[in-house]
Amino acid sequence: MTRLPAEVDVAIIGGGPAGLSAAAELKRLGVASVLVLERDSEAGGVPRLCGHSPFGFREFHRPMFGPAFARALVARAREAGADIRPATTVTSLGPGPRLTVTSDEGVAEIAARAVLVATGAREASRAERLIGGSKPGGVMVTGALQGLVYGAGARPFRRPLILGTELVSFSAILTCRHASIRPVAMVEPSERIVARAPSGLLPQVLGIPLYLATDIAEIRGGERVEAVVLATATGDVTIETDGVVVTGRFRPESTLARLGGLEIDTHTGGPSVDTCGRSSEPGFYAAGNILRPVETAGRCWEEGRAVARAIARDLAAPAADRGATVTLAEGPLRYVMPQRLSSDGPPALNELQLRADRPARGRLSLRAEGREILGHKVSVRPERRIRIPLPAGNYPVQVVFEEEP
Amino acid sequence: MVQSQGTRQRYDVAVIGAGVIGCATARRYAIAGARVLLLEKAADILDGASKGNSAILHTGFDAPPGSVEAACVAEGYREYLDIREKLGLPLLRTGALVIAWTDEQEAALPELIDQARANGVDDVQMLSRQETLSREPGLAPTLRASFRVPGESIIDPWSAPLAYLGQALAHGAELRRNSEVLGGRFDGEEWELRLAGESVRARLVINAAGLFADEVDLALIGTRDFTTRPRKGQFVVYDKPAAALASHILLPVPTKITKGVVVCPTAFGNLLVGPTAEDQTDRRTARLVPEALAALRRRGEEILPALKEHTVTAIYAGLRPATEFKDYCIRSHEGLNYVTIGGIRSTGLTSALGTASYVFGLTEAAGFGFDAPDEIAWPNVANISEAGERDWQRPGNGGVVCQCELVTRREIEAALEGPLGARSLAGLKRRTRVTMGRCQGFHCSARLAKMTRDVFDTPMAERLDHD
Ligand SMILES: Cc1cc2nc3c(=O)[nH]c(=O)nc-3n(C[C@H](O)[C@H](O)[C@H](O)COP(=O)(O)OP(=O)(O)OC[C@H]3O[C@@H](n4cnc5c(N)ncnc54)[C@H](O)[C@@H]3O)c2cc1C
Ligand SMILES: Cc1cc2nc3c(=O)[nH]c(=O)nc-3n(C[C@H](O)[C@H](O)[C@H](O)COP(=O)(O)OP(=O)(O)OC[C@H]3O[C@@H](n4cnc5c(N)ncnc54)[C@H](O)[C@@H]3O)c2cc1C
């Protein structure tokens, strides 16, 4: 492989759907040098290890399995002329923009006119969720399970318990089935399955006992998981099992961005951006799941493409405006993204994306100077999309959710 | 040296237990020329009390003056500084702030400063509220005052014992894992230690069995003069951006039972909050308790309010080998060629080298001497801390495998090799930090499973053969 270039027009961190679609689009728009830096041994992002459907509707107009979808995205970006470098990890960001990367060759510095951060999201680990008990082997997030099954051809357990009922939790079930792993139970802390039907019906169809309003009280085991104690509404239940899949509760993979000085929105956990994907730091943009937890591959792909157009425009004529703020009032809503409205150029992110922390009903409205400019009654649930069209004009707005008692 | 009629199974010294104390003790005797055998019942070294601590290299400023512990801590501290560069070990000279949050605590500071001076730590420095805040702007402004102990430092809690043991091996010591000492007999000259299915002979036996030191005493010499009372300590570890919030080790004013909840940087660029102090009878399992972990988070946020915005990346717990005595329980059993090192409660990482020298002194006084080698070897351990250059910064590293902790393929391969090679994921973690970062294995599990398939005693996952 040739050496990494020391200077490029656009450096893209992360070769997932968002980064790869941005790369292809930038090349299509005539940007001379576009470099994609991907830390994994192959580009493609999370779908590369999702040996299941559905991917690709939006991008290729047909249902695809994750790996085929990932390969197709890589091929498109490469054909468009992007320079894709797998096995290359970005370790720090600096003003300029400037990047430090590491690979088998050691450390290198890259200067770019613009940097797109597209590092994706990951699931909250057992540690992050403060799950108690001992620390045996066999406790992992869905991403790790998929890596083991599809990436390493390995079976880490035979009868695991699955924590969570988000969409990704059902990916975990499908992955288990692929490896002849039979989950013993599915456990959901809230009172309802989080994902929509039909995925939500999967446990029933497959005869996996479902425990709602239940949390893991304790994981037991020495070398390997031996049992899990569940705290249910009616008391503790001990289930013998040899593994735990901790699923969902995604959070943006934003440590690199944060250490690089990009302003982080504590609600999304990702960098604050304006409607063009511009972060707080000049020359740094973000797209895909790093912006918020969590969207489908198709939407991330779309976002990458749209932010690429904003980048290409800015390279020709830099934007000056920092944009008006979008803020969130206290309530059941967890986040709103983008965090700023820019009047410099057509928006790449063309709606306000919101998510709720808990189920709630009430009036969702957008206010400017205390005056409602848009509003309607809604019923919201966690991990479901909530969208508000972008307000016309460039003034600070606040998102308010007035709950019905 | 060993007499010629001896078999391969005959040693000068058998050390029971490869915790940090056993590793340092094996080193001390090996570099003095003894033929040393280190016996560890677990699949890997550092599997007991030494697997989870705060990693502070204590000056001993708050040790009980005149105690064996104070002497061993002071000597351990001194020797660590003396040898660490030769072994490639890191030192983060952060210093500590002992912070008073109430009137009562503020009133206790002068006495603590006197105690520090009595322990020979005389560079402590009283700081007003303002002075404290200007040094640590992230602290909650409700603090009253503090004093600074410049010498308190952070080290790498796994590489240090690994380096001690590596040096012992370079001097001919042997390590046997999965080798529990079940019993033994002293014939007036020599010990015969019984392991599962075999026995070994040694002139001198040193019991460094940590949490089990009292039980090993019972099994070998038929009596014990202390009883282990395990004291659990739980921790939460924050992701790297949180490390910017504090540059010192932040200590509370200690109470009689515990040093209290500490907020401190780690050698790996994280921030740690803990430990709790919970007495229990179980010597094996340090159970994590969600409520206690949540309370640690809250305590951390009280001390450093900005911690609220940071994520926890790891949780762990350790067991202190406490006893009914406050001081260490180090006993040389004259006439039995036997030494017990028990009750190395909460300062063993710091004191290990000092404790080893102390014990060496006891046996020397009892007549044990060895032919010192002409030269001392100083094998380097691989640096995995942020204090020095890391492998990912050098060419030919094979690429990064664990992305959060930037662990390279070459580092992992090296950690799996040789007589000290990791034989379990836990052991590999301690040697390289793989999977210890924010994603907890999301990205690297698959590659690790492949790389370790034929190496670990229990593989991470079985092979999927489609049938
Ligand atoms: C288990 C699972 C199942 C899923 N199933 C579906 C599904 O069925 N259908 C669907 O539409 N969506 C699914 N998704 C969601 C989908 O995978 C994501 O929406 C999509 O991959 C997001 O794209 P992205 O480019 O933002 O991030 P990612 O795909 O996460 O890509 C980010 C890339 O950045 C790289 N990277 C990160 N940090 C660095 C760095 N410092 N240096 C270099 N590279 C770096 C990463 O290695 C990664 O390749 C699933 C997700 C998961 C986890
Ligand atoms: C929460 C916590 C925080 C701490 N913080 C610090 C700190 O910041 N600084 C500091 O200096 N110290 C600290 N310590 C203290 C330090 O970790 C301990 O003092 C030290 O680890 C004790 O080591 P050890 O070798 O005596 O015991 P262990 O590590 O328990 O080693 C004993 C070994 O003997 C083995 N063994 C037992 N029985 C047998 C047998 N029959 N045959 C063979 N092998 C056997 C065990 O498997 C074990 O590996 C802390 C401790 C805890 C728990």
Side-chain angles (χ1 to χ4, degrees), chain B residues 411-426:
Chain B
E411 280 176 311
I412 294 169
E413 282 167 353
L416 294 171
E417 266 168 19
L420 252 178
R423 291 290 170 273
S424 64
L425 182 58

Side-chain angles (χ1 to χ4, degrees), chain A residues 39 89 102 104 133 135 155 255, chain B residues 239 288 315 392 396 398 443 462:
Chain A
R39 61 188 182 178
T89 304
T102 174
D104 180 45
K135 287 178 74 178
R155 182 194 290 127
T255 303
Chain B
D239 196 8
L288 293 157
I315 49 180
W392 61 266
H443 284 283
E462 56 182 336

Side-chain angles (χ1 to χ4, degrees), chain A residues 13-19 37-40 44-47 50 52-55 88-91 118-121 123 142-143 146 168 171 250 253 256 287-290 294-298 300, chain B residues 442-443:
Chain A
I13 310 172
L37 302 157
E38 168 54 53
R39 61 188 182 178
D40 277 350
V46 168
C50 291
H52 58 75
S53 229
F55 288 94
T88 307
T89 304
V90 178
T91 57
T119 48
E123 298 162 273
T142 318
Q146 293 197 324
V168 65
S171 298
F250 279 88
E253 184 74 295
L256 177 73
N289 273 342
I290 188 181
V294 50
E295 267 299 349
T296 59
C300 292
Chain B
F442 185 114
H443 284 283

Side-chain angles (χ1 to χ4, degrees), chain B residues 18-358:
Chain B
V20 64
I21 298 293
C23 291
T25 304
R27 166 188 179 271
R28 185 68 192 81
Y29 283 87
I31 62 175
R35 185 151 182 244
V36 177
L37 173 66
L38 179 58
L39 295 164
E40 169 55 52
K41 71 173 174 186
D44 200 4
I45 68 168
L46 308 179
D47 201 49
S50 304
K51 95 173 133 188
N53 58 49
S54 323
I56 301 173
L57 189 73
H58 295 292
T59 54
F61 76 90
D62 59 348
S67 60
V68 174
E69 180 179 14
C72 291
V73 165
E75 175 57 19
Y77 182 91
R78 192 201 60 72
E79 191 173 356
Y80 184 86
L81 295 198
D82 196 39
I83 68 171
R84 67 159 192 105
E85 272 168 345
K86 287 188 267 191
L87 291 174
L89 291 170
L91 179 77
L92 275 74
R93 269 196 170 277
T94 55
L97 297 179
V98 180
I99 303 169
W101 299 93
T102 62
D103 289 341
E104 224 170 49
Q105 291 172 356
E106 190 173 357
L109 295 184
E111 199 181 317
L112 282 167
I113 292 178
D114 289 344
Q115 187 179 354
R117 301 222 159 97
N119 281 319
V121 181
D122 38 27
D123 55 356
V124 295
Q125 179 191 2
M126 187 76 197
L127 299 175
S128 70
R129 179 172 166 277
Q130 266 321 316
E131 287 166 334
T132 309
L133 286 171
S134 70
R135 281 172 191 267
E136 279 299 355
L139 281 169
T142 48
L143 71 92
R144 300 301 173 84
S146 74
F147 67 88
R148 185 163 181 274
V149 191
E152 292 281 299
S153 302
I154 297 294
I155 63 175
D156 169 351
W158 299 297
S159 296
L162 206 61
Y164 306 157
L165 185 50
Q167 195 178 16
L169 297 196
H171 285 267
E174 285 173 43
L175 165 71
R176 289 203 205 166
R177 293 176 276 190
N178 294 313
S179 299
E180 179 171 12
V181 174
L182 301 168
R185 209 168 44 84
F186 180 62
D187 64 9
E189 295 260 329
E190 246 186 9
W191 274 93
E192 182 172 353
L193 294 179
R194 194 157 48 76
L195 314 174
E198 62 172 328
S199 64
V200 291
R201 300 182 73 85
R203 265 203 301 148
L204 174 64
V205 168
I206 299 175
N207 166 7
L211 293 154
F212 295 87
D214 55 343
E215 291 191 353
V216 168
D217 271 4
L218 266 185
L220 293 184
I221 59 171
T223 147
R224 62 174 170 192
D225 51 14
F226 62 90
T227 308
T228 301
R229 294 183 177 168
R231 184 168 299 153
K232 179 169 70 176
Q234 305 186 57
F235 293 92
V236 294
V237 183
Y238 285 85
D239 196 8
K240 310 216 185 238
L245 299 180
S247 56
H248 287 85
I249 301 163
L250 306 175
L251 303 171
V253 172
T255 67
K256 289 249 154 6
I257 17 174
T258 162
K259 286 179 179 297
V261 173
V262 179
V263 177
C264 73
T266 74
F268 316 109
N270 298 80
L271 194 77
L272 184 104
V273 180
T276 57
E278 305 160 75
D279 289 326
Q280 64 177 50
T281 49
D282 186 346
R283 298 165 183 234
R284 288 183 175 79
T285 317
R287 221 160 55 81
L288 293 157
V289 182
E291 294 74 25
L293 299 169
L296 284 176
R297 273 209 75 145
R298 285 196 299 277
R299 184 68 201 125
E301 289 165 15
E302 280 164 17
I303 297 168
L304 292 173
L307 257 189
K308 242 187 232 76
E309 283 154 30
H310 290 264
T311 48
V312 167
T313 59
I315 49 180
Y316 68 95
L319 294 176
R320 304 171 184 87
T323 69
E324 65 270 47
F325 301 104
K326 197 163 166 41
D327 205 355
Y328 288 0
C329 300
I330 302 180
R331 319 268 191 263
S332 174
H333 299 268
E334 305 269 331
L336 279 178
N337 296 10
Y338 184 88
V339 184
T340 308
I341 315 178
I344 313 297
R345 199 171 49 152
S346 50
T347 50
L349 178 64
T350 307
S351 77
L353 295 167
T355 302
S357 286
Y358 180 84

